[in-house]
Amino acid sequence: QLAVDAPPAAGALALQARPNPFNPTVELRYTLPTAGRAVLEVFDAAGRRVALLLDEERPAGPGTLRWNGRDAAGRSVASGVYHARLRAAGKTQTTKLVLVR
């Protein structure tokens, strides 16, 4: 896994979160090695998906999304540890998110 401040290697799938811990919004920066379908989801500590942020064809290169700490129904989620998971190009990258309300 990449260090938080390390730039992604060329052609690598990368996912970073800032600020972290966050309240109420976190910026998720990603890099896709190739164009294609990308899926970015947020899971709670028990592994349940709480939000689907991205599920579409995307070009290769960098992108940015924000998560507002709300679940798929628009409800604010509780303080705690969450995991953002990016899947693209047959690879998966996960980063831990800490929400402090």
Side-chain angles (χ1 to χ4, degrees), residues 9-67:
L13 182 68
L15 178 63
Q16 297 176 332
R18 295 226 168 99
N20 199 14
F22 72 98
N23 176 15
T25 302
V26 62
E27 183 177 86
L28 298 164
R29 296 178 188 173
Y30 62 87
T31 303
L32 303 180
T34 59
R37 183 168 176 247
V39 178
L40 181 57
E41 302 164 289
V42 178
F43 295 87
D44 65 16
R48 295 178 297 251
R49 186 171 82 177
V50 296
L52 174 63
L53 304 180
L54 176 69
D55 184 0
E56 64 187 37
E57 296 291 317
R58 301 294 301 166
T64 302
L65 290 169
R66 286 179 177 76
W67 181 46

Side-chain angles (χ1 to χ4, degrees), residues 40-100:
L40 181 57
E41 302 164 289
V42 178
F43 295 87
D44 65 16
R48 295 178 297 251
R49 186 171 82 177
V50 296
L52 174 63
L53 304 180
L54 176 69
D55 184 0
E56 64 187 37
E57 296 291 317
R58 301 294 301 166
T64 302
L65 290 169
R66 286 179 177 76
W67 181 46
N68 60 5
R70 295 184 178 275
D71 66 14
R75 298 175 298 242
S76 292
V77 298
S79 294
V81 175
Y82 294 85
H83 297 275
R85 182 178 74 189
L86 175 63
R87 291 182 290 140
K91 298 177 180 163
T92 301
Q93 184 74 6
T94 303
T95 191
K96 183 167 75 170
L97 309 173
V98 180
L99 173 58
V100 179

